Amino acid sequence: MDALPLTPDMRVLEIGCGPGAAARAVAARLGTGHILAIDRSATAIAQAEAASAEEIASGRMSVRRVAIEDFGLEAGEAPFDLVFAVRVGALDGRHPDAGRKAMARIAAALAPGGRLFIDGGDPLRELAL
């Protein structure tokens, strides 16, 4: 998380949150900001919710079950300043069709100037949208 250019007021989207460890680490660095942690797995979302009760109650974090290739902003939801993903097949080349759909969904959910980071760099790699 130290590699992410976070500021306390950012809106952050984590793709493929698993049990929520990274999302909790980001939430700890946010003041007025918010992180939405998403995963396609119902089990992962249940684990993230259970382990993140304090962060969710504080309003700094929320979770949602959705695959990135189906993701969209909900009514009234503000766009994201930063998006990150670690070991997500739609973004690391393992699933090219899903990757094309995912990139379109991410671009639509980013605020102007928003940035996307994935694993595979030193330690992260920024993808241009």
Side-chain angles (χ1 to χ4, degrees):
M1 296 305 91
D2 291 337
L4 292 172
L6 295 170
T7 60
D9 61 340
M10 279 188 157
R11 285 190 45 79
V12 179
L13 173 64
E14 180 187 8
I15 302 166
C17 67
R24 287 190 299 280
V26 169
R29 291 168 168 83
L30 299 176
T32 58
H34 183 83
I35 181 165
L36 171 61
I38 67 168
D39 203 294
R40 69 178 64 240
S41 164
T43 300
I45 290 300
Q47 291 171 340
E49 283 181 323
S52 309
E54 181 180 324
E55 293 83 3
I56 292 169
S58 76
R60 291 187 324 267
M61 180 177 166
S62 58
V63 298
R64 187 179 309 162
R65 181 178 178 221
V66 63
I68 187 55
E69 57 270 25
D70 299 322
F71 181 78
L73 295 175
E74 293 184 343
E77 187 173 30
F80 296 92
D81 304 301
L82 188 143
V83 176
F84 75 97
V86 176
R87 291 187 301 273
V88 173
L91 298 175
D92 65 11
R94 288 181 283 159
H95 304 287
D97 290 336
R100 284 186 287 281
K101 292 174 187 172
M103 292 300 279
R105 296 295 185 140
I106 293 166
L110 275 175
R115 299 169 74 184
L116 168 61
F117 293 89
I118 66 168
D119 55 325
D122 185 21
L124 297 174
R125 175 168 54 120
E126 185 170 4
L127 296 182
L129 293 172

